[in-house]
Amino acid sequence: MFQYAFGRYLSQLFNCPLELDTSWFDYFQFHEVKRRFRLNSLDISCNAEFSSGTKRWVLGALTINQPKVRTLARHILPRVGMHPYFENQPYHTTGYPVTIPVKPSCHSLFTIGYWQTAIPFLKVRKQICNEFKPLNSISEAAQNWLDLILTTNSVFLHVRRGDYANLGAHMLPVSYYEKAVSKIFETCPANPEWFIFSDDLDWCKKHFHFLEKPYYVEYTSANADIEDLWLMRSAKAGIMANSSFSWWASALGPKSRTIITPRYWWGIEGSNFPALRIPTWQAV
């Protein structure tokens, strides 16, 4: 989603078409939890694949964000009419401002990176909010949750655990959520209703004893990931995890609602990334 927002911004900036290279999903995933390409379940205006067949594999290999591959790509891609533009640092949430490239007059711009910063999204916010919605009707089970969320002083609370534990990432402590809940009471209407979203609801049920009668959002649907995103986007306020999933659930909602975000993305000093935050969000 961050990559698409960056690409959509560049396509508007340069008045040129946007095409997607999704070869990573098929060939170049090396971590344990495999991802599927899911943007085609949203109402995006671009579904054009950049390449196919052997060419798709070769070009996809040249987008791997490793120093030796970068050097090779910088030599090969211009020869086939493409100018590679690599992210300055190879990993996400680095918090640096994006430097917008200058498009070469006779080349296609081939962007390679995560681009996890709020800057491009804020440039094309209205269009992205229109595109990042379910392409098809949501399931009956999700609609039942949506009806409840829309008719209460709903606050979503997102917790990401599963793959973070396997990847050795820093998971946010319970104290972050306690502070965030206190902040909600200071800034939001009385009597908030808490809607808990997580890949580990059992853990949440053991640790969120400080919440009064929260809803643990559980249902069965083939599109539960897209629907969860839409449900959180529809809440009156929200408490993010250190997760791009709840980042987008927060960003796609109304500008005026209260969103609490971790000041330290990985819960430790040195992980304060201001460029990752939308200015209206409150960091805790």
Side-chain angles (χ1 to χ4, degrees):
M1 296 174 85
F2 279 104
Q3 292 164 330
Y4 183 87
F6 186 52
R8 176 56 65 206
Y9 169 56
L10 293 181
S11 73
Q12 289 192 10
L13 181 67
F14 298 131
N15 191 28
C16 62
L18 173 65
E19 295 183 339
L20 309 179
D21 169 26
T22 63
S23 58
W24 180 84
F25 294 94
D26 294 330
Y27 304 129
F28 305 112
Q29 293 194 61
F30 301 114
H31 50 71
E32 182 178 345
V33 179
K34 302 302 181 184
R35 304 295 187 188
R36 292 182 298 145
F37 180 66
R38 296 291 284 144
L39 286 185
N40 54 5
S41 294
L42 300 176
D43 195 18
I44 62 173
S45 57
C46 171
N47 268 315
E49 277 285 359
F50 184 70
S51 60
S52 60
T54 303
K55 180 182 177 183
R56 180 170 181 261
W57 191 94
V58 172
L59 293 177
L62 291 174
T63 67
I64 297 173
N65 230 335
Q66 298 293 335
K68 290 182 180 180
V69 178
R70 282 190 183 195
T71 301
L72 186 64
R74 287 192 175 102
H75 283 90
I76 293 178
L77 289 175
R79 297 180 183 181
V80 291
M82 286 176 285
H83 177 76
Y85 179 62
F86 284 91
E87 196 170 31
N88 291 334
Q89 300 185 42
Y91 302 107
H92 58 298
T93 62
T94 48
Y96 57 89
V98 169
T99 302
I100 301 303
V102 176
K103 184 179 182 297
S105 58
C106 58
H107 287 67
S108 295
L109 190 64
F110 203 2
T111 66
I112 304 122
Y114 289 97
W115 315 112
Q116 287 191 296
T117 167
I119 297 169
F121 166 72
L122 292 173
K123 299 288 187 181
V124 289
R125 184 173 195 159
K126 183 176 181 180
Q127 180 174 356
I128 292 296
C129 287
N130 286 334
E131 291 190 84
F132 284 179
K133 58 187 179 183
L135 180 62
N136 302 309
S137 299
I138 63 176
S139 65
E140 182 179 354
Q143 183 63 52
N144 291 336
W145 280 111
L146 180 61
D147 293 341
L148 187 58
I149 286 170
L150 291 175
T151 55
T152 60
N153 288 328
S154 52
V155 181
F156 82 78
L157 189 155
H158 182 238
V159 178
R160 178 174 173 179
R161 284 184 53 79
D163 64 332
Y164 271 9
N166 296 330
L167 294 171
H170 294 277
M171 290 173 286
L172 294 173
V174 175
S175 60
Y176 160 71
Y177 290 100
E178 291 175 328
K179 293 175 183 176
V181 166
S182 296
K183 199 71 174 176
I184 290 290
F185 278 118
E186 293 175 10
T187 58
C188 288
N191 303 317
E193 299 283 352
W194 308 99
F195 291 82
I196 315 299
F197 294 80
S198 179
D199 54 6
D200 191 349
L201 285 176
D202 288 339
W203 182 91
C204 296
K205 291 174 183 178
K206 291 178 182 177
H207 291 87
F208 288 162
H209 51 81
F210 54 90
L211 295 177
E212 184 176 354
K213 297 180 180 178
Y215 294 99
Y216 293 94
V217 180
E218 295 181 90
Y219 60 98
T220 301
S221 171
N223 289 312
D225 51 354
I226 301 298
E227 293 170 350
D228 276 0
L229 186 76
W230 192 248
L231 294 176
M232 288 191 283
R233 171 245 176 264
S234 301
K236 306 295 193 307
I239 297 174
M240 289 171 50
N242 52 347
S243 164
S244 58
F245 188 66
S246 53
W247 192 101
W248 280 102
S250 302
L252 296 173
K255 294 180 184 180
S256 58
R257 69 176 179 167
T258 297
I259 294 294
I260 309 300
T261 184
R263 182 177 302 278
Y264 299 105
W265 191 251
W266 298 123
I268 57 174
E269 295 284 346
S271 62
N272 183 6
F273 308 128
L276 188 59
R277 297 195 288 267
I278 290 177
T280 55
W281 293 353
Q282 300 183 42
V284 168

